[in-house]
Amino acid sequence: MELETKQLVMAVKAIAEEKNLPESVVQDAVEQALAAAWRRDYGDREQEVRSQININTGSVTVFVTKTVVDKVENEFLEISLADAKKIQKDVKIDETVEESEEVHSFGRVAAQTAKQVILQRLREAEREIVMAEFEDKINTVVNGTVTRVEGRLVRLELNKAQGIMPSSEQIQGERYYPGQRLKVYLKDVERGYKGAQLVVSRGCPEFLEMLFRAEVPEMDSGAVEIKAIAREAGVRAKIAVSSTVQGVDPVGTFVGGHGTRVQAVMSEIGDQEKIDIVIWDKDDVKYITNALSPTEVTRVVIDDANKKAKVIVPEEQLSVAIGKSGQNVRLASKLTGFEIDIESNQEAKNAAKPVVEAPKIVGAANAPKLKKKSDLESSLLEAIEEHGQE
């Protein structure tokens, strides 16, 4: 099977249309492939070769770079000065020239090489163009369709591009299956040895923020804003919100009438994930108190230097403050940036009591030994008799 160059040149436009790629990109891929094929059939793997296609005539010209020398030892890499001057009159020894040759066909092995190179280059070009299209969509929510579930890795199709969702970016307890349509947060475009790929997430805090942004138009106007989010996807999330307009209730704005806005978000991420919306405050004590909602807080002691806070709560509120598996206090710590330690009123009182030390006996080494019980009784009777005589 030989490769006719005219047929390939005619196919450039067809390939460009089929792959939805610029004609110049396809032509470049084909030229690289033909250079590799020529090196395989007629040249040496060490040669520097490029090819050029004439779209109008269908001809292919190969250019081989050679070094000008006095005596040619390797005809693939070197050229004599006399022959070099036929190509470039003012060339000198140790300079390079390009020797050209028109090619009409290649052998079976070279044709296979060309085919592999073309497919590889087209795949890379296609991927790069798609990635360039998605680069301006990073940090936004896009729609995707699950194509494959490989263990704990989910692969999705995002408008002709392929995305991956690692287990760390998934919502805990959520099940995925081929054909499932999902909203995902486009986190990054990673470029590796296999080319670029889109990394998407449903478990990150930013996904939650973008979902609220779609439901709360007041965020776009700047009337309300999200200050911080702490999230354990699929279980619980805490969101600190504030208002820049006097009289606007930030929590009520995010919850919506009859809870419609927060319900719309929960319907996307799953009802199993509880969302606490609290008011952000520049005062750390108030902020920490709000973050531990719905806990009733008695007192907060701040250690600014170490970013630590001791929170005192009523005895009956201790389990609520800590939460299941420490979840409530852990999320409140992430939200506020303080390492929070919870104590009950009783624990705080016990810790505040001074420690009473046992009195030390001076000269204990010379003190008389304790008497036996019978000796103690005799001494007591003697003391009573002496008191009676007085």
Side-chain angles (χ1 to χ4, degrees), residues 146-307:
V146 176
T147 55
R148 225 162 48 249
V149 179
E150 300 172 354
R152 300 181 69 187
L153 181 75
V154 179
R155 294 192 179 276
L156 303 97
E157 186 177 310
L158 312 166
N159 189 24
K160 294 186 180 178
Q162 293 297 314
I164 59 166
M165 183 163 58
S167 58
S168 58
E169 301 296 343
Q170 297 168 20
I171 294 176
Q172 186 180 326
E174 197 169 53
R175 296 289 174 264
Y176 307 101
Y177 53 87
Q180 182 182 13
R181 292 184 61 80
L182 292 171
K183 285 183 179 178
V184 291
Y185 180 80
L186 182 52
K187 203 166 186 181
D188 197 11
V189 176
E190 286 186 351
R191 284 178 168 79
Y193 70 96
K194 285 187 177 180
Q197 59 184 2
L198 305 172
V199 180
V200 300
S201 173
R202 281 176 61 81
C204 64
E206 294 84 358
F207 180 58
L208 205 55
E209 181 177 352
M210 295 305 292
L211 291 177
F212 270 107
R213 189 172 288 280
E215 298 295 331
V216 183
E218 291 86 348
M219 286 184 72
D220 290 330
S221 66
V224 292
E225 59 181 334
I226 292 176
K227 287 287 190 178
I229 297 178
R231 186 184 184 203
E232 291 184 4
V235 185
R236 192 171 183 179
K238 283 183 180 285
I239 304 175
V241 298
S242 70
S243 167
T244 57
V245 178
Q246 194 170 0
V248 174
D249 171 22
V251 174
T253 303
F254 278 87
V255 171
H258 303 291
T260 52
R261 290 176 174 179
V262 74
Q263 282 299 325
V265 172
M266 289 179 72
S267 68
E268 178 60 43
I269 63 172
D271 293 337
Q272 73 278 6
E273 185 171 337
K274 185 181 176 184
I275 300 175
D276 298 335
I277 302 175
V278 302
I279 297 176
W280 175 86
D281 202 298
K282 61 183 177 182
D283 179 82
D284 290 332
V285 172
K286 289 181 181 177
Y287 186 25
I288 291 170
T289 302
N290 296 342
L292 284 166
S293 175
T295 312
E296 294 174 20
V297 175
T298 305
R299 186 160 55 95
V300 179
V301 181
I302 299 285
D303 177 3
D304 278 316
N306 297 307
K307 294 294 282 184

Side-chain angles (χ1 to χ4, degrees), residues 9 43 45 63 92 142 179 186 206 211 224 246 251 276 278 289 316 319 359 363 371 376 389:
V9 170
R45 65 174 59 187
F63 297 87
K92 297 175 183 176
V142 294
L186 182 52
E206 294 84 358
L211 291 177
V224 292
Q246 194 170 0
V251 174
D276 298 335
V278 302
T289 302
E316 66 275 9
S319 60
K371 296 179 180 181
L376 286 170
Q389 289 174 0

Side-chain angles (χ1 to χ4, degrees), residues 47-214:
Q47 282 179 304
E48 187 180 327
V49 182
R50 69 181 180 89
S51 71
Q52 194 174 67
I53 294 173
N54 187 322
I55 295 292
N56 298 321
T57 63
S59 63
V60 175
T61 306
V62 170
F63 297 87
V64 184
T65 301
K66 292 186 177 182
T67 304
V68 181
V69 293
D70 279 326
K71 186 180 179 182
V72 176
E73 294 180 358
N74 187 334
E75 61 180 11
F76 292 111
L77 307 176
E78 298 169 341
I79 187 172
S80 67
L81 182 61
D83 289 337
K85 283 186 177 293
K86 294 175 184 176
I87 301 168
Q88 186 180 328
K89 290 181 180 179
D90 58 348
V91 73
K92 297 175 183 176
I93 297 291
D94 293 333
E95 291 183 347
T96 58
V97 292
E98 281 190 326
E99 195 173 38
S100 63
E101 178 185 334
E102 194 169 326
V103 186
H104 301 285
S105 65
F106 296 99
R108 185 182 61 81
V109 177
Q112 190 64 31
T113 301
K115 182 183 176 183
Q116 289 173 354
V117 173
I118 289 169
L119 289 174
Q120 182 185 344
R121 291 287 184 269
L122 288 179
R123 274 197 298 267
E124 288 173 2
E126 202 172 7
R127 196 181 288 120
E128 287 301 320
I129 286 171
V130 171
M131 293 307 157
E133 177 191 334
F134 273 91
E135 273 184 332
D136 61 347
K137 293 180 182 177
I138 292 176
N139 302 329
T140 65
V141 171
V142 294
N143 293 313
T145 304
V146 176
T147 55
R148 225 162 48 249
V149 179
E150 300 172 354
R152 300 181 69 187
L153 181 75
V154 179
R155 294 192 179 276
L156 303 97
E157 186 177 310
L158 312 166
N159 189 24
K160 294 186 180 178
Q162 293 297 314
I164 59 166
M165 183 163 58
S167 58
S168 58
E169 301 296 343
Q170 297 168 20
I171 294 176
Q172 186 180 326
E174 197 169 53
R175 296 289 174 264
Y176 307 101
Y177 53 87
Q180 182 182 13
R181 292 184 61 80
L182 292 171
K183 285 183 179 178
V184 291
Y185 180 80
L186 182 52
K187 203 166 186 181
D188 197 11
V189 176
E190 286 186 351
R191 284 178 168 79
Y193 70 96
K194 285 187 177 180
Q197 59 184 2
L198 305 172
V199 180
V200 300
S201 173
R202 281 176 61 81
C204 64
E206 294 84 358
F207 180 58
L208 205 55
E209 181 177 352
M210 295 305 292
L211 291 177
F212 270 107
R213 189 172 288 280

